[in-house]
Structure formats: C-alpha cells, structure tokens
Amino acid sequence: MNTRREYSATRASLFDGIEEGGIRASSSYATREIDEHDSDNALEGLQDRVNLLKRLSGDIHEEVDSHNRMLDRMGNEMDSSRGFLSGTMDRFKQAFETKSSRRMFTLVASFVVLFLIVYYLTK
C-alpha cells in the first residue's frame, strides 16, 4: 500500500505542470495571453447578457405601452358609461317627480329591455 502512495506522489510530481490544454508555460507572455483570452471570453459573455437584457427591456416597454393604451380605452369607456347611467338616473328622477304611471311603466320597461339586451350581448 505504501508503494501505491509513492507511485501517486511520483506521478503527481511528473504531471504537475500539465493542465487540460497542455503544459502551461511559465513566461509572463503566455499568462498574459491566457488572461486576455479569458477576458475576451468574459467580455463576450457579458455582451450576450447585455443584449438579452436590452431585448427584455424592449419587450417590457412594449408591454407597458400596450397596457397603458388598454387602460386609456377602458377609462374612456367607463366615462361614456358613466354619462349614459347619469342620463338614465336623470330620467328616473324626472319620472318619479311627475308621478305619471304610464311614463313610469315605459321607463321601467325600457330599462329592463336595455338591461337584457346588454346582458345577452356581453354573454
């Protein structure tokens, strides 16, 4: 078992300077070249991430613009329905003040018919 340890220690000392790509040179030029290569790889990875973030931010901007347009349309529709409902309430007030039974019946019947039409159109 002792010979096995000696064998592995000898092997480690023989192949100590070898890495995956071959023997690593000890000169400063080779280390600088390797550092530049690593730096270029890191820069490319960073550029890819920046491009991805740029695309994502563009998509988010488009989505926000789309939602803002949708909210504006919904706000306009709510304003128009508010105007319609206030007109209807004014007619109800007018009908309750006159106390005309025929007019009251016509107003209530038209309101019910209108409600049913809107209900079936939205369904």
Side-chain angles (χ1 to χ4, degrees):
M1 187 142 13
N2 201 6
T3 57
R4 183 176 209 116
R5 285 186 193 153
E6 289 175 14
Y7 172 75
S8 63
T10 306
R11 181 180 170 127
S13 66
L14 285 175
F15 295 107
D16 194 27
I18 297 179
E19 293 182 3
E20 289 180 13
I23 298 176
R24 183 176 180 144
S26 62
S27 71
S28 64
Y29 177 75
T31 56
R32 196 174 307 141
E33 186 177 308
I34 290 172
D35 290 341
E36 286 179 13
H37 180 69
D38 290 343
S39 177
D40 288 342
N41 286 340
L43 187 62
E44 287 176 9
L46 184 61
Q47 186 175 10
D48 290 341
R49 289 182 186 131
V50 167
N51 287 334
L52 177 67
L53 287 173
K54 184 178 178 181
R55 281 192 307 253
L56 284 174
S57 65
D59 291 344
I60 289 170
H61 178 72
E62 289 175 12
E63 191 73 22
V64 166
D65 284 344
S66 169
H67 282 112
N68 280 338
R69 284 192 301 272
M70 184 174 38
L71 287 172
D72 286 341
R73 280 191 308 240
M74 189 168 59
N76 292 338
E77 289 174 3
M78 292 296 281
D79 287 341
S80 68
S81 65
R82 184 178 298 138
F84 178 73
L85 286 176
S86 67
T88 304
M89 290 304 293
D90 289 342
R91 287 189 208 116
F92 268 124
K93 286 179 187 175
Q94 193 177 46
F96 283 125
E97 288 174 0
T98 58
K99 302 226 192 266
S100 168
S101 63
R102 183 174 179 208
R103 191 172 189 160
M104 176 71 85
F105 177 74
T106 306
L107 186 61
V108 170
S110 63
F111 181 70
V112 169
V113 169
L114 180 67
F115 177 76
L116 290 175
I117 289 171
V118 170
Y119 176 74
Y120 284 114
L121 287 177
T122 58
K123 191 177 180 184

